[in-house]
Amino acid sequence: IQPQPGDRLCPVTKTRASNECSWIIAGMTYYFCCPPCIDEFVKQARANTTPLPPPDSFIKKAGRAESTLPFEK
């Protein structure tokens, strides 16, 4: 499913996130496409000292590239 402008994006896959698949990290709610992405996101976040971008940075913008995690290559 291709995300449309304004859709929440899974921080791991950059596909449309599900409202039923969320996780609270440091008091902020992040949305994911599936439970395995939660595990991957938490694993990567623990392995990196760079602060996580806010959840609002994972929203599809019109004509703009999606945010990437600071620890992604």
Side-chain angles (χ1 to χ4, degrees):
I1 298 174
Q2 292 295 322
Q4 300 299 312
D7 286 346
R8 285 189 173 109
L9 300 174
C10 173
V12 178
T13 64
K14 306 302 184 276
T15 59
R16 188 180 301 166
S18 169
N19 289 332
E20 289 81 38
C21 192
S22 63
W23 198 258
I24 298 171
I25 302 169
M28 298 181 288
T29 303
Y30 291 84
Y31 292 88
F32 301 87
C33 63
C34 62
C37 284
I38 296 172
D39 295 336
E40 180 63 24
F41 185 80
V42 171
K43 177 182 161 187
Q44 290 180 17
R46 286 183 177 160
N48 195 293
T49 58
T50 305
L52 292 175
D56 287 347
S57 67
F58 297 106
I59 295 178
K60 175 74 174 181
K61 311 272 190 297
R64 296 182 66 192
E66 292 84 22
S67 293
T68 57
L69 295 177
F71 39 83
E72 288 182 335
K73 294 179 182 177

